[in-house]
Amino acid sequence: MSNQFDVIIIGSGPGGMAAAYDLHSAGKKVAVVESDKWGGTCPNRGCDPKKILYHAVEVQQSMKQLIGRGYKEQPAINWENLMAFKEEFTSAVPKEQKGGLDGFGVETIEGVAAFEDTHTILVNGERYTADAFIIATGQRSAIVDIPGKELMETSTEFLSMPHLPKTMIFIGGGYITFELANIAHSCGSEVHILHHNERPLKGFDPEQVQSLIEGLKQKGIIFHFNESAVDIKKAGEWLTATLASGKEMTVDKIICATGRIPNLENLNLEKIGVDYSKKGLTVDGFLRTTAANIYGLGDCLAKQQPKLTPVSSFEGSYLGRLLGKGIEKEIVYSKIPTILFAAPKLAQVGKVVIEEQEKENYQVTEVDMSSWFTYKQRNESIVKAKIVIEKITGLLVGASVLSNEADQLINLMTLMINDKVQADRLSEQILLYPTVASDIGYLY
């Protein structure tokens, strides 16, 4: 087969896959290059395996809430069995993802790609040319640069641990730390979280973050704020972290979750004049880089939108239309929901932080819903919502929810915000009761 293509996509994650299928359907000759596991981070070592582990925790939490109300004790999670269940899904992913492309007629190329010029890449010593390229290489975990950093592990290793450590330290205050720490503790580990200041989860509503932290503390997760690891040493099977305060902590495993790095350094982008930074590729409103025929999508971009799988897929489909059908319109993002899968879940969408000078323009309502029947039947103790309405229009513009059902409620509110649904239109609907959806009318 000729090594000349209409479009070559570098990276086979959800965004790259979406672009590949749409471009091929539009009649383009397409190739996808992958240097690691076909399917990318999400299904192999990211959101999908994490969600499999989290679901076991979610079931455990639901039963824990009903101890003495139908259940006698909280069920224990067998880590080895749970990991084997996870492997049933993840072990098949690379073959399935590559097979899907092959069967659809998309050329698959394995190896590390590097640009020779704006129309040529080199993979395993072989040249491939294309009219256009899409860079969809994603990100990887960063490791904080301290002595002993090689002793730390990341979310990748956590999601493949054959056995659960008795004691663990998580370094960082982002969503990865909170999600994995919650899983580890629920499965039986003693968990410590180190964060260099007092404000973790900066992208979420601060008051609900504080409520979440208090709930996790009650569960037994130990927080160390205004604290950092400055050195790590190994003695036998143990790891000892020396902290900035001078204290020492000895544990079985240390997970670093202090951010992620775009996978761009091996592409030889400097040679072809493609701008990027430590935050990712610079692109315009058409997802075009500083080279006119090279585009980018997904987590390797420097962008304001959340770096989430559905966002990458959305961008892939957009580039499928742009390059496949010639639809010359800038990408337009709707309001995008985000979620932290902890116990409880914390989800939000739209405008939730109101600055002092903006307060006269918005009506902000904070509601404790723990006494509402939807949640009372589950015996949930932490159920909170923050609703933001624009006064001049009366429209819902933002919401933040802390509950075990936060994902369901936020998805519905996302639709309402993006479709500009008026409150009186919602009141005309008759919804199933008791459900999360049936409660929306009391919030908006």
PDB file of all heavy atoms in Angstrom, residues 287-323:
ATOM      1  N   LEU A 287      -8.669  24.464  15.403  1.00  0.00           N
ATOM      2  CA  LEU A 287      -7.755  23.452  15.951  1.00  0.00           C
ATOM      3  C   LEU A 287      -6.512  23.292  15.076  1.00  0.00           C
ATOM      4  O   LEU A 287      -5.873  22.239  15.066  1.00  0.00           O
ATOM      5  CB  LEU A 287      -8.457  22.098  16.134  1.00  0.00           C
ATOM      6  CG  LEU A 287      -9.690  22.094  17.054  1.00  0.00           C
ATOM      7  CD1 LEU A 287     -10.202  20.661  17.225  1.00  0.00           C
ATOM      8  CD2 LEU A 287      -9.374  22.703  18.409  1.00  0.00           C
ATOM      9  N   ARG A 288      -6.145  24.357  14.388  1.00  0.00           N
ATOM     10  CA  ARG A 288      -4.986  24.349  13.502  1.00  0.00           C
ATOM     11  C   ARG A 288      -3.777  24.905  14.249  1.00  0.00           C
ATOM     12  O   ARG A 288      -3.870  25.912  14.945  1.00  0.00           O
ATOM     13  CB  ARG A 288      -5.288  25.200  12.272  1.00  0.00           C
ATOM     14  CG  ARG A 288      -4.214  25.239  11.196  1.00  0.00           C
ATOM     15  CD  ARG A 288      -4.739  25.961   9.969  1.00  0.00           C
ATOM     16  NE  ARG A 288      -5.428  27.191  10.346  1.00  0.00           N
ATOM     17  CZ  ARG A 288      -6.555  27.624   9.754  1.00  0.00           C
ATOM     18  NH1 ARG A 288      -7.130  26.934   8.807  1.00  0.00           N
ATOM     19  NH2 ARG A 288      -7.091  28.776  10.143  1.00  0.00           N
ATOM     20  N   THR A 289      -2.653  24.218  14.119  1.00  0.00           N
ATOM     21  CA  THR A 289      -1.419  24.683  14.756  1.00  0.00           C
ATOM     22  C   THR A 289      -0.820  25.816  13.934  1.00  0.00           C
ATOM     23  O   THR A 289      -1.414  26.292  12.960  1.00  0.00           O
ATOM     24  CB  THR A 289      -0.394  23.536  14.879  1.00  0.00           C
ATOM     25  OG1 THR A 289       0.093  23.200  13.566  1.00  0.00           O
ATOM     26  CG2 THR A 289      -1.016  22.299  15.523  1.00  0.00           C
ATOM     27  N   THR A 290       0.389  26.221  14.281  1.00  0.00           N
ATOM     28  CA  THR A 290       1.071  27.277  13.527  1.00  0.00           C
ATOM     29  C   THR A 290       1.606  26.783  12.189  1.00  0.00           C
ATOM     30  O   THR A 290       2.163  27.579  11.423  1.00  0.00           O
ATOM     31  CB  THR A 290       2.216  27.866  14.373  1.00  0.00           C
ATOM     32  OG1 THR A 290       2.994  26.808  14.943  1.00  0.00           O
ATOM     33  CG2 THR A 290       1.670  28.727  15.497  1.00  0.00           C
ATOM     34  N   ALA A 291       1.468  25.496  11.883  1.00  0.00           N
ATOM     35  CA  ALA A 291       1.691  24.972  10.530  1.00  0.00           C
ATOM     36  C   ALA A 291       0.316  24.753   9.904  1.00  0.00           C
ATOM     37  O   ALA A 291      -0.535  24.067  10.481  1.00  0.00           O
ATOM     38  CB  ALA A 291       2.486  23.667  10.564  1.00  0.00           C
ATOM     39  N   ALA A 292       0.083  25.322   8.746  1.00  0.00           N
ATOM     40  CA  ALA A 292      -1.265  25.412   8.184  1.00  0.00           C
ATOM     41  C   ALA A 292      -1.949  24.074   7.947  1.00  0.00           C
ATOM     42  O   ALA A 292      -3.175  23.993   7.977  1.00  0.00           O
ATOM     43  CB  ALA A 292      -1.222  26.202   6.873  1.00  0.00           C
ATOM     44  N   ASN A 293      -1.186  23.000   7.729  1.00  0.00           N
ATOM     45  CA  ASN A 293      -1.799  21.703   7.425  1.00  0.00           C
ATOM     46  C   ASN A 293      -1.732  20.725   8.592  1.00  0.00           C
ATOM     47  O   ASN A 293      -2.047  19.552   8.431  1.00  0.00           O
ATOM     48  CB  ASN A 293      -1.115  21.068   6.207  1.00  0.00           C
ATOM     49  CG  ASN A 293       0.309  20.630   6.520  1.00  0.00           C
ATOM     50  OD1 ASN A 293       1.081  21.396   7.100  1.00  0.00           O
ATOM     51  ND2 ASN A 293       0.651  19.413   6.161  1.00  0.00           N
ATOM     52  N   ILE A 294      -1.337  21.202   9.765  1.00  0.00           N
ATOM     53  CA  ILE A 294      -1.204  20.335  10.934  1.00  0.00           C
ATOM     54  C   ILE A 294      -2.158  20.805  12.024  1.00  0.00           C
ATOM     55  O   ILE A 294      -2.155  21.985  12.408  1.00  0.00           O
ATOM     56  CB  ILE A 294       0.242  20.310  11.464  1.00  0.00           C
ATOM     57  CG1 ILE A 294       1.178  19.763  10.371  1.00  0.00           C
ATOM     58  CG2 ILE A 294       0.351  19.447  12.727  1.00  0.00           C
ATOM     59  CD1 ILE A 294       2.641  19.786  10.747  1.00  0.00           C
ATOM     60  N   TYR A 295      -2.977  19.887  12.505  1.00  0.00           N
ATOM     61  CA  TYR A 295      -4.014  20.181  13.488  1.00  0.00           C
ATOM     62  C   TYR A 295      -3.738  19.411  14.778  1.00  0.00           C
ATOM     63  O   TYR A 295      -2.913  18.494  14.816  1.00  0.00           O
ATOM     64  CB  TYR A 295      -5.386  19.799  12.932  1.00  0.00           C
ATOM     65  CG  TYR A 295      -5.758  20.560  11.679  1.00  0.00           C
ATOM     66  CD1 TYR A 295      -5.225  20.196  10.439  1.00  0.00           C
ATOM     67  CD2 TYR A 295      -6.626  21.635  11.731  1.00  0.00           C
ATOM     68  CE1 TYR A 295      -5.556  20.901   9.287  1.00  0.00           C
ATOM     69  CE2 TYR A 295      -6.963  22.346  10.589  1.00  0.00           C
ATOM     70  CZ  TYR A 295      -6.418  21.981   9.365  1.00  0.00           C
ATOM     71  OH  TYR A 295      -6.744  22.677   8.226  1.00  0.00           O
ATOM     72  N   GLY A 296      -4.425  19.790  15.833  1.00  0.00           N
ATOM     73  CA  GLY A 296      -4.278  19.092  17.105  1.00  0.00           C
ATOM     74  C   GLY A 296      -5.621  18.916  17.776  1.00  0.00           C
ATOM     75  O   GLY A 296      -6.584  19.660  17.507  1.00  0.00           O
ATOM     76  N   LEU A 297      -5.701  17.920  18.639  1.00  0.00           N
ATOM     77  CA  LEU A 297      -6.928  17.712  19.410  1.00  0.00           C
ATOM     78  C   LEU A 297      -6.598  17.027  20.723  1.00  0.00           C
ATOM     79  O   LEU A 297      -5.531  16.435  20.899  1.00  0.00           O
ATOM     80  CB  LEU A 297      -7.947  16.881  18.614  1.00  0.00           C
ATOM     81  CG  LEU A 297      -7.626  15.437  18.252  1.00  0.00           C
ATOM     82  CD1 LEU A 297      -7.817  14.458  19.397  1.00  0.00           C
ATOM     83  CD2 LEU A 297      -8.484  14.987  17.075  1.00  0.00           C
ATOM     84  N   GLY A 298      -7.542  17.114  21.662  1.00  0.00           N
ATOM     85  CA  GLY A 298      -7.448  16.350  22.896  1.00  0.00           C
ATOM     86  C   GLY A 298      -6.534  16.947  23.948  1.00  0.00           C
ATOM     87  O   GLY A 298      -6.276  18.155  23.986  1.00  0.00           O
ATOM     88  N   ASP A 299      -6.015  16.077  24.785  1.00  0.00           N
ATOM     89  CA  ASP A 299      -5.281  16.504  25.976  1.00  0.00           C
ATOM     90  C   ASP A 299      -3.911  17.094  25.684  1.00  0.00           C
ATOM     91  O   ASP A 299      -3.282  17.669  26.578  1.00  0.00           O
ATOM     92  CB  ASP A 299      -5.119  15.323  26.939  1.00  0.00           C
ATOM     93  CG  ASP A 299      -6.438  14.881  27.543  1.00  0.00           C
ATOM     94  OD1 ASP A 299      -7.467  15.506  27.239  1.00  0.00           O
ATOM     95  OD2 ASP A 299      -6.444  13.901  28.305  1.00  0.00           O
ATOM     96  N   CYS A 300      -3.413  16.962  24.448  1.00  0.00           N
ATOM     97  CA  CYS A 300      -2.104  17.543  24.130  1.00  0.00           C
ATOM     98  C   CYS A 300      -2.217  19.006  23.733  1.00  0.00           C
ATOM     99  O   CYS A 300      -1.211  19.634  23.397  1.00  0.00           O
ATOM    100  CB  CYS A 300      -1.398  16.736  23.042  1.00  0.00           C
ATOM    101  SG  CYS A 300      -2.204  16.783  21.422  1.00  0.00           S
ATOM    102  N   LEU A 301      -3.428  19.573  23.788  1.00  0.00           N
ATOM    103  CA  LEU A 301      -3.616  20.982  23.457  1.00  0.00           C
ATOM    104  C   LEU A 301      -3.480  21.866  24.686  1.00  0.00           C
ATOM    105  O   LEU A 301      -3.815  21.469  25.795  1.00  0.00           O
ATOM    106  CB  LEU A 301      -5.012  21.220  22.863  1.00  0.00           C
ATOM    107  CG  LEU A 301      -5.413  20.474  21.592  1.00  0.00           C
ATOM    108  CD1 LEU A 301      -6.760  20.983  21.117  1.00  0.00           C
ATOM    109  CD2 LEU A 301      -4.363  20.611  20.512  1.00  0.00           C
ATOM    110  N   ALA A 302      -3.003  23.092  24.474  1.00  0.00           N
ATOM    111  CA  ALA A 302      -3.068  24.134  25.500  1.00  0.00           C
ATOM    112  C   ALA A 302      -4.412  24.829  25.317  1.00  0.00           C
ATOM    113  O   ALA A 302      -4.596  25.593  24.373  1.00  0.00           O
ATOM    114  CB  ALA A 302      -1.919  25.113  25.336  1.00  0.00           C
ATOM    115  N   LYS A 303      -5.369  24.556  26.201  1.00  0.00           N
ATOM    116  CA  LYS A 303      -6.722  25.066  26.002  1.00  0.00           C
ATOM    117  C   LYS A 303      -7.404  25.312  27.331  1.00  0.00           C
ATOM    118  O   LYS A 303      -6.976  24.807  28.377  1.00  0.00           O
ATOM    119  CB  LYS A 303      -7.543  24.086  25.165  1.00  0.00           C
ATOM    120  CG  LYS A 303      -7.678  22.695  25.787  1.00  0.00           C
ATOM    121  CD  LYS A 303      -8.440  21.748  24.874  1.00  0.00           C
ATOM    122  CE  LYS A 303      -8.562  20.356  25.508  1.00  0.00           C
ATOM    123  NZ  LYS A 303      -9.289  19.417  24.637  1.00  0.00           N
ATOM    124  N   GLN A 304      -8.500  26.068  27.278  1.00  0.00           N
ATOM    125  CA  GLN A 304      -9.269  26.378  28.472  1.00  0.00           C
ATOM    126  C   GLN A 304     -10.269  25.274  28.805  1.00  0.00           C
ATOM    127  O   GLN A 304     -10.633  25.091  29.959  1.00  0.00           O
ATOM    128  CB  GLN A 304     -10.036  27.695  28.268  1.00  0.00           C
ATOM    129  CG  GLN A 304      -9.149  28.908  28.069  1.00  0.00           C
ATOM    130  CD  GLN A 304      -8.256  29.182  29.261  1.00  0.00           C
ATOM    131  OE1 GLN A 304      -8.689  29.120  30.402  1.00  0.00           O
ATOM    132  NE2 GLN A 304      -6.989  29.471  28.995  1.00  0.00           N
ATOM    133  N   GLN A 305     -10.712  24.537  27.814  1.00  0.00           N
ATOM    134  CA  GLN A 305     -11.709  23.495  28.040  1.00  0.00           C
ATOM    135  C   GLN A 305     -11.115  22.360  28.867  1.00  0.00           C
ATOM    136  O   GLN A 305      -9.914  22.088  28.796  1.00  0.00           O
ATOM    137  CB  GLN A 305     -12.232  22.937  26.704  1.00  0.00           C
ATOM    138  CG  GLN A 305     -13.070  23.894  25.908  1.00  0.00           C
ATOM    139  CD  GLN A 305     -12.244  24.987  25.246  1.00  0.00           C
ATOM    140  OE1 GLN A 305     -11.060  24.800  24.981  1.00  0.00           O
ATOM    141  NE2 GLN A 305     -12.862  26.129  24.988  1.00  0.00           N
ATOM    142  N   PRO A 306     -11.951  21.665  29.646  1.00  0.00           N
ATOM    143  CA  PRO A 306     -11.454  20.539  30.442  1.00  0.00           C
ATOM    144  C   PRO A 306     -10.855  19.460  29.535  1.00  0.00           C
ATOM    145  O   PRO A 306     -11.365  19.192  28.449  1.00  0.00           O
ATOM    146  CB  PRO A 306     -12.717  20.008  31.144  1.00  0.00           C
ATOM    147  CG  PRO A 306     -13.692  21.136  31.098  1.00  0.00           C
ATOM    148  CD  PRO A 306     -13.403  21.897  29.858  1.00  0.00           C
ATOM    149  N   LYS A 307      -9.777  18.857  30.012  1.00  0.00           N
ATOM    150  CA  LYS A 307      -9.133  17.794  29.239  1.00  0.00           C
ATOM    151  C   LYS A 307      -9.787  16.466  29.609  1.00  0.00           C
ATOM    152  O   LYS A 307      -9.292  15.714  30.442  1.00  0.00           O
ATOM    153  CB  LYS A 307      -7.631  17.811  29.482  1.00  0.00           C
ATOM    154  CG  LYS A 307      -6.981  19.096  28.948  1.00  0.00           C
ATOM    155  CD  LYS A 307      -5.466  19.073  29.005  1.00  0.00           C
ATOM    156  CE  LYS A 307      -4.880  20.330  28.359  1.00  0.00           C
ATOM    157  NZ  LYS A 307      -3.415  20.313  28.307  1.00  0.00           N
ATOM    158  N   LEU A 308     -10.920  16.225  28.953  1.00  0.00           N
ATOM    159  CA  LEU A 308     -11.748  15.059  29.236  1.00  0.00           C
ATOM    160  C   LEU A 308     -11.967  14.264  27.960  1.00  0.00           C
ATOM    161  O   LEU A 308     -11.940  14.807  26.855  1.00  0.00           O
ATOM    162  CB  LEU A 308     -13.103  15.502  29.795  1.00  0.00           C
ATOM    163  CG  LEU A 308     -13.081  16.352  31.077  1.00  0.00           C
ATOM    164  CD1 LEU A 308     -14.484  16.884  31.369  1.00  0.00           C
ATOM    165  CD2 LEU A 308     -12.562  15.535  32.242  1.00  0.00           C
ATOM    166  N   THR A 309     -12.229  12.964  28.118  1.00  0.00           N
ATOM    167  CA  THR A 309     -12.440  12.089  26.970  1.00  0.00           C
ATOM    168  C   THR A 309     -13.549  12.584  26.044  1.00  0.00           C
ATOM    169  O   THR A 309     -13.364  12.629  24.818  1.00  0.00           O
ATOM    170  CB  THR A 309     -12.727  10.654  27.447  1.00  0.00           C
ATOM    171  OG1 THR A 309     -11.562  10.158  28.108  1.00  0.00           O
ATOM    172  CG2 THR A 309     -13.072   9.747  26.289  1.00  0.00           C
ATOM    173  N   PRO A 310     -14.747  12.949  26.549  1.00  0.00           N
ATOM    174  CA  PRO A 310     -15.781  13.416  25.629  1.00  0.00           C
ATOM    175  C   PRO A 310     -15.410  14.677  24.876  1.00  0.00           C
ATOM    176  O   PRO A 310     -15.879  14.889  23.750  1.00  0.00           O
ATOM    177  CB  PRO A 310     -17.003  13.653  26.530  1.00  0.00           C
ATOM    178  CG  PRO A 310     -16.592  13.370  27.915  1.00  0.00           C
ATOM    179  CD  PRO A 310     -15.208  12.855  27.931  1.00  0.00           C
ATOM    180  N   VAL A 311     -14.557  15.521  25.469  1.00  0.00           N
ATOM    181  CA  VAL A 311     -14.098  16.726  24.774  1.00  0.00           C
ATOM    182  C   VAL A 311     -13.192  16.336  23.608  1.00  0.00           C
ATOM    183  O   VAL A 311     -13.302  16.873  22.499  1.00  0.00           O
ATOM    184  CB  VAL A 311     -13.372  17.681  25.741  1.00  0.00           C
ATOM    185  CG1 VAL A 311     -12.893  18.931  25.004  1.00  0.00           C
ATOM    186  CG2 VAL A 311     -14.286  18.077  26.894  1.00  0.00           C
ATOM    187  N   SER A 312     -12.297  15.373  23.847  1.00  0.00           N
ATOM    188  CA  SER A 312     -11.414  14.894  22.778  1.00  0.00           C
ATOM    189  C   SER A 312     -12.223  14.287  21.637  1.00  0.00           C
ATOM    190  O   SER A 312     -11.946  14.542  20.458  1.00  0.00           O
ATOM    191  CB  SER A 312     -10.437  13.843  23.333  1.00  0.00           C
ATOM    192  OG  SER A 312      -9.603  14.388  24.327  1.00  0.00           O
ATOM    193  N   SER A 313     -13.222  13.480  21.966  1.00  0.00           N
ATOM    194  CA  SER A 313     -14.066  12.875  20.935  1.00  0.00           C
ATOM    195  C   SER A 313     -14.817  13.945  20.145  1.00  0.00           C
ATOM    196  O   SER A 313     -14.957  13.845  18.914  1.00  0.00           O
ATOM    197  CB  SER A 313     -15.055  11.899  21.573  1.00  0.00           C
ATOM    198  OG  SER A 313     -14.387  10.841  22.221  1.00  0.00           O
ATOM    199  N   PHE A 314     -15.296  14.969  20.829  1.00  0.00           N
ATOM    200  CA  PHE A 314     -15.986  16.082  20.185  1.00  0.00           C
ATOM    201  C   PHE A 314     -15.055  16.777  19.194  1.00  0.00           C
ATOM    202  O   PHE A 314     -15.450  17.093  18.062  1.00  0.00           O
ATOM    203  CB  PHE A 314     -16.473  17.056  21.261  1.00  0.00           C
ATOM    204  CG  PHE A 314     -17.186  18.274  20.738  1.00  0.00           C
ATOM    205  CD1 PHE A 314     -18.523  18.200  20.384  1.00  0.00           C
ATOM    206  CD2 PHE A 314     -16.527  19.474  20.608  1.00  0.00           C
ATOM    207  CE1 PHE A 314     -19.196  19.328  19.908  1.00  0.00           C
ATOM    208  CE2 PHE A 314     -17.185  20.608  20.135  1.00  0.00           C
ATOM    209  CZ  PHE A 314     -18.518  20.531  19.782  1.00  0.00           C
ATOM    210  N   GLU A 315     -13.820  17.012  19.610  1.00  0.00           N
ATOM    211  CA  GLU A 315     -12.837  17.663  18.736  1.00  0.00           C
ATOM    212  C   GLU A 315     -12.481  16.773  17.550  1.00  0.00           C
ATOM    213  O   GLU A 315     -12.270  17.268  16.428  1.00  0.00           O
ATOM    214  CB  GLU A 315     -11.594  18.013  19.549  1.00  0.00           C
ATOM    215  CG  GLU A 315     -11.857  19.108  20.572  1.00  0.00           C
ATOM    216  CD  GLU A 315     -10.770  19.254  21.616  1.00  0.00           C
ATOM    217  OE1 GLU A 315      -9.922  18.338  21.739  1.00  0.00           O
ATOM    218  OE2 GLU A 315     -10.767  20.279  22.315  1.00  0.00           O
ATOM    219  N   GLY A 316     -12.411  15.450  17.784  1.00  0.00           N
ATOM    220  CA  GLY A 316     -12.133  14.539  16.688  1.00  0.00           C
ATOM    221  C   GLY A 316     -13.221  14.568  15.634  1.00  0.00           C
ATOM    222  O   GLY A 316     -12.951  14.591  14.422  1.00  0.00           O
ATOM    223  N   SER A 317     -14.479  14.573  16.075  1.00  0.00           N
ATOM    224  CA  SER A 317     -15.601  14.640  15.138  1.00  0.00           C
ATOM    225  C   SER A 317     -15.619  15.980  14.400  1.00  0.00           C
ATOM    226  O   SER A 317     -15.950  16.043  13.199  1.00  0.00           O
ATOM    227  CB  SER A 317     -16.920  14.435  15.886  1.00  0.00           C
ATOM    228  OG  SER A 317     -16.991  13.124  16.409  1.00  0.00           O
ATOM    229  N   TYR A 318     -15.242  17.051  15.104  1.00  0.00           N
ATOM    230  CA  TYR A 318     -15.158  18.359  14.459  1.00  0.00           C
ATOM    231  C   TYR A 318     -14.135  18.336  13.324  1.00  0.00           C
ATOM    232  O   TYR A 318     -14.411  18.785  12.201  1.00  0.00           O
ATOM    233  CB  TYR A 318     -14.781  19.439  15.482  1.00  0.00           C
ATOM    234  CG  TYR A 318     -14.332  20.735  14.844  1.00  0.00           C
ATOM    235  CD1 TYR A 318     -15.259  21.639  14.328  1.00  0.00           C
ATOM    236  CD2 TYR A 318     -12.974  21.025  14.716  1.00  0.00           C
ATOM    237  CE1 TYR A 318     -14.851  22.817  13.710  1.00  0.00           C
ATOM    238  CE2 TYR A 318     -12.550  22.198  14.099  1.00  0.00           C
ATOM    239  CZ  TYR A 318     -13.491  23.091  13.596  1.00  0.00           C
ATOM    240  OH  TYR A 318     -13.075  24.243  12.974  1.00  0.00           O
ATOM    241  N   LEU A 319     -12.943  17.788  13.591  1.00  0.00           N
ATOM    242  CA  LEU A 319     -11.919  17.731  12.549  1.00  0.00           C
ATOM    243  C   LEU A 319     -12.324  16.781  11.422  1.00  0.00           C
ATOM    244  O   LEU A 319     -11.929  16.964  10.273  1.00  0.00           O
ATOM    245  CB  LEU A 319     -10.570  17.313  13.143  1.00  0.00           C
ATOM    246  CG  LEU A 319      -9.873  18.385  13.979  1.00  0.00           C
ATOM    247  CD1 LEU A 319      -8.584  17.848  14.581  1.00  0.00           C
ATOM    248  CD2 LEU A 319      -9.592  19.632  13.143  1.00  0.00           C
ATOM    249  N   GLY A 320     -13.129  15.783  11.747  1.00  0.00           N
ATOM    250  CA  GLY A 320     -13.664  14.917  10.707  1.00  0.00           C
ATOM    251  C   GLY A 320     -14.522  15.697   9.725  1.00  0.00           C
ATOM    252  O   GLY A 320     -14.469  15.473   8.504  1.00  0.00           O
ATOM    253  N   ARG A 321     -15.317  16.633  10.240  1.00  0.00           N
ATOM    254  CA  ARG A 321     -16.156  17.468   9.369  1.00  0.00           C
ATOM    255  C   ARG A 321     -15.318  18.507   8.624  1.00  0.00           C
ATOM    256  O   ARG A 321     -15.527  18.765   7.440  1.00  0.00           O
ATOM    257  CB  ARG A 321     -17.244  18.170  10.197  1.00  0.00           C
ATOM    258  CG  ARG A 321     -18.254  17.223  10.829  1.00  0.00           C
ATOM    259  CD  ARG A 321     -19.421  17.983  11.433  1.00  0.00           C
ATOM    260  NE  ARG A 321     -19.016  18.909  12.483  1.00  0.00           N
ATOM    261  CZ  ARG A 321     -18.861  18.588  13.758  1.00  0.00           C
ATOM    262  NH1 ARG A 321     -19.055  17.328  14.148  1.00  0.00           N
ATOM    263  NH2 ARG A 321     -18.518  19.496  14.653  1.00  0.00           N
ATOM    264  N   LEU A 322     -14.375  19.095   9.346  1.00  0.00           N
ATOM    265  CA  LEU A 322     -13.552  20.155   8.757  1.00  0.00           C
ATOM    266  C   LEU A 322     -12.699  19.624   7.609  1.00  0.00           C
ATOM    267  O   LEU A 322     -12.684  20.190   6.505  1.00  0.00           O
ATOM    268  CB  LEU A 322     -12.659  20.773   9.838  1.00  0.00           C
ATOM    269  CG  LEU A 322     -11.732  21.911   9.385  1.00  0.00           C
ATOM    270  CD1 LEU A 322     -12.536  23.178   9.135  1.00  0.00           C
ATOM    271  CD2 LEU A 322     -10.652  22.167  10.423  1.00  0.00           C
ATOM    272  N   LEU A 323     -11.979  18.544   7.852  1.00  0.00           N
ATOM    273  CA  LEU A 323     -11.058  18.008   6.860  1.00  0.00           C
ATOM    274  C   LEU A 323     -11.708  17.009   5.915  1.00  0.00           C
ATOM    275  O   LEU A 323     -11.221  16.792   4.804  1.00  0.00           O
ATOM    276  CB  LEU A 323      -9.869  17.341   7.563  1.00  0.00           C
ATOM    277  CG  LEU A 323      -9.038  18.234   8.493  1.00  0.00           C
ATOM    278  CD1 LEU A 323      -7.947  17.433   9.181  1.00  0.00           C
ATOM    279  CD2 LEU A 323      -8.439  19.397   7.711  1.00  0.00           C
TER     280      LEU A 323
END
